[in-house]
Amino acid sequence: MEGADRFQMLIPEDRIQARIAEMGRQITQDFQGRDLVVVGVLKGAIFFLTDLVRRIDLPLAMDFLGLSSYGDATESSGVVRITQDLSRPIVDQDVLVVEDIVDTGLTLAFLRENLLARRPRSLRICTLLHKPSNTLREVPLDYVGFTIENRFVVGYGLDYEQRYRNLPYIGYLPLPQAPAG
Ligand code: IMP
Ligand code: MG
């Protein structure tokens, strides 16, 4: 793929899939006897969601929500807008939100409040990646795939200016070292 050779490997495909299998088993246990609504945040979480639901052995429905945060390509502004809403109400449902990455937490804090106002029976949050060093808002994360350092990552759904989502692994762009002092 054009440009893909510029990326350093952070998490290879087999590690991603192994971790997703574990998360699927955990979610299956935790929601025994329940009927789940899995809510994916477009577009980045699509890849993770489709792999994850195939590892969850429960009756479930899927729905999707589009969010857009104003700001530049690599920083979240915290001003979030719903660009595409869920297709059905979630009142009295057990909802599992699936995100690609939690960075500052601002996007998820907004989403959580918005969804809680719709009165689900329960709301849990699952993210493939978490970058705790940038936290501005603490949001309870029930399932975290990998905790990573403060690097801008792409691949497996994550984009830089809408590109590189289709890399099968998670990589990062090596930045030039800042001069010492
Ligand atoms: P937050 O509001 O700062 O937590 O950012 C959440 C959103 O910013 C994610 O859903 C991503 O769309 C985007 N984002 C944050 N960090 C990265 C990254 O390292 N690579 C690609 N997108 C990112
Ligand atoms: Mg996102």
Side-chain angles (χ1 to χ4, degrees), residues 24-97:
R25 278 195 292 275
Q26 184 68 55
I27 291 165
T28 302
Q29 268 181 30
D30 293 353
F31 286 90
Q32 270 315 310
R34 306 282 191 88
D35 212 321
L36 258 188
V37 180
V38 178
V39 169
V41 182
L42 298 170
K43 307 169 190 134
I46 292 284
F47 298 69
F48 175 40
L49 183 146
T50 57
D51 283 338
L52 181 67
V53 291
R54 283 177 283 181
R55 301 295 191 156
I56 300 176
D57 187 14
L58 293 171
L60 60 82
M62 301 189 300
D63 208 343
F64 298 94
L65 202 139
L67 294 178
S68 132
S69 71
Y70 296 100
D72 67 38
T74 57
E75 301 243 343
S76 176
S77 65
V79 183
V80 184
R81 178 169 64 98
I82 293 184
T83 56
Q84 182 181 318
D85 206 352
L86 297 176
S87 65
R88 322 243 343 226
I90 53 169
V91 63
D92 291 334
Q93 307 282 310
D94 290 304
V95 175
L96 179 68
V97 172

